[in-house]
Amino acid sequence: MTTPVISVAYHSGFGHTSVIAEAVRAGALEAGAEVHLIKVDEITHEQWAVLDSSDAIVFGSPTYMGTASGAFHVFAEATSTRWATQAWNGKLAAGFTNSASKSGDKLHTLQFFQILAAQLGMHWVSLGLLPGWNSRTGSENDLNRLGVFAGAAAQTNADEGPEAVHKADIATAEHLGRRVTETARVFLRGQAAA
């Protein structure tokens, strides 16, 4: 059986989004993937090659002013060379974000990732979870407690550090890592059978 190669390409301004990236990594490792964490604001030529050889790329960024961080936008623009050659066409993509507000326009960041993936010819993998914490029996400890479908969303208070990232948001990101890995495994088996 082929081991899926998953890369997590992310930016983290103050460490909160790094916690989520590590959780995506942990979930993907648990599901049997080879996983690479790539900080897009420090990306090297060798890391671009890792992205090129990955089966799936999970994009991550804090949501600042209603969109991904400036550092992530610089990375996204740099993918234009991959767009020109369609080097990532057929790869899987997914995404995650964190902001201080419960909504914080996180959906816009995830949609930005989806459009980037679509322009690059990639297939988007959604979170695949029903919303949590939306009934009398629900709690803030439910998976997908923020009720986001497009990807993993996290909320951390603006006056707290990375250690305060909510455990349910970490577990939701782990779920995303497992789901991307499982989806990549299905794609790889399909390619092998074709």
Side-chain angles (χ1 to χ4, degrees):
M1 179 173 67
T2 304
T3 300
V5 178
I6 312 296
S7 287
V8 181
Y10 74 100
H11 173 248
S12 183
F14 300 99
H16 306 89
T17 309
S18 288
V19 172
I20 302 301
E22 289 285 353
V24 171
R25 177 183 179 271
L29 282 172
E30 179 187 322
E34 174 187 327
V35 188
H36 303 274
L37 286 180
I38 298 173
K39 295 180 179 180
V40 298
D41 55 330
E42 301 172 3
I43 194 165
T44 64
H45 178 74
E46 292 77 19
Q47 290 172 321
W48 278 109
V50 169
L51 292 174
D52 292 341
S53 64
S54 296
D55 300 304
I57 302 171
V58 184
F59 301 125
S61 169
T63 295
Y64 293 153
M65 303 306 291
T67 190
S69 65
F72 193 92
H73 276 268
V74 169
F75 164 76
E77 288 183 26
T79 66
S80 63
T81 57
R82 273 67 187 169
W83 170 81
T85 62
Q86 288 295 282
W88 293 358
N89 194 319
K91 292 185 186 295
L92 299 178
F96 61 92
T97 188
N98 180 81
S99 71
S101 298
K102 297 290 189 282
S103 170
D105 293 319
K106 286 186 264 288
L107 178 59
H108 185 261
T109 299
L110 293 171
Q111 289 172 330
F112 169 72
F113 294 157
Q114 287 176 316
I115 293 168
L116 174 64
Q119 289 179 338
L120 291 163
M122 302 171 81
H123 304 287
W124 189 258
V125 179
S126 67
L127 185 58
L129 284 175
L130 292 173
W133 201 19
N134 66 356
S135 69
R136 288 178 303 206
T137 58
S139 83
E140 68 174 299
N141 297 309
D142 292 343
L143 287 180
N144 197 18
R145 71 187 181 110
L146 300 176
V148 177
F149 295 93
Q155 180 274 328
T156 311
N157 293 331
D159 58 353
E160 293 185 284
E163 70 284 350
V165 174
H166 201 286
K167 291 189 184 336
D169 296 341
I170 292 171
T172 300
E174 290 170 348
H175 168 85
L176 179 65
R178 287 189 298 272
R179 181 171 166 86
V180 170
T181 300
E182 291 159 3
T183 305
R185 187 172 287 115
V186 169
F187 265 60
L188 289 171
R189 285 179 183 159
Q191 287 174 339

